[in-house]
């Protein structure tokens, strides 16, 4: 039973002290389960992260469920999932109880505006370490920058960006396939 509470506390701590959602939690999860606890190898974590991103649901929860299942089976996934969800649930509940009293307070507004850049940094930081682990070539860094600028400055819907990326990916794959077959 001690192992279940250990995995619960690891994910509770991650859920409680991470602002910015699932992508901001990734470096903390990786640090805990790969570096500190040794529950997963780095390559296995990267594979699990790819799966967690591709299935429906919050990435932090999907990651917690995978780690819990891998470590302790079904019960482990229940404990890790509860651990990562419970802090957010408690915080949202408390905010809902008191937010109406403070929503127009200029200090509260400034605090939330001040947190935004930190959240962006928490999301961007793991992208570099994950990109390095995945073997991403940094000469292609212009692609996400152009996409971000297109969404932000030109108000292009991310849906069109995704559809364009799918089309270009398929076209590139067909081109490479034809090139190999020659």
């Amino acid at each position: 039973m001690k192992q279940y509470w250990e995995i619960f506390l690891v994910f509770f701590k991650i859920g409680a002290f991470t602002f910015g959602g699932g992508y901001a939690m990734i470096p903390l999860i990786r640090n805990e389960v790969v570096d500190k606890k040794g529950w997963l190898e780095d390559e296995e974590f990267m594979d699990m992260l790819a799966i967690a991103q591709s299935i429906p649901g919050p990435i932090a929860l999907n990651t917690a469920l995978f780690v819990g299942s891998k470590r302790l089976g079904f019960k482990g996934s229940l404990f890790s999932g509860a651990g990562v969800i419970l802090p957010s649930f408690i915080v949202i509940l408390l905010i809902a109880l008191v937010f109406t009293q403070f929503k127009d307070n200029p200090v509260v507004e400034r605090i939330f505006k001040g947190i935004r850049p930190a959240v962006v940094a928490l999301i961007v930081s793991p992208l570099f370490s994950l990109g390095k682990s995945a073997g991403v070539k940094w000469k292609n860094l212009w692609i996400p920058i152009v996409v971000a600028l297109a969404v932000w400055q030109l108000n292009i819907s991310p849906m069109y960006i995704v559809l364009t990326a799918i089309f270009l990916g398929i076209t590139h794959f067909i081109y490479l396939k034809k090139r190999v077959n020659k």
Side-chain angles (χ1 to χ4, degrees), residues 13 30-39:
K13 179 177 72 172
R30 183 174 181 235
N31 184 46
E32 285 290 329
V33 303
V34 175
D35 298 335
K36 287 185 180 177
K37 301 291 184 185
W39 292 339

Side-chain angles (χ1 to χ4, degrees), residues 97-119:
L97 292 172
V98 297
F99 185 69
T100 55
Q101 299 171 8
F102 298 105
K103 69 179 178 181
D104 296 324
N105 186 322
V107 174
V108 173
E109 287 180 26
R110 284 190 214 120
I111 288 171
F112 280 112
K113 285 182 181 177
I115 290 174
R116 286 182 192 162
V119 169

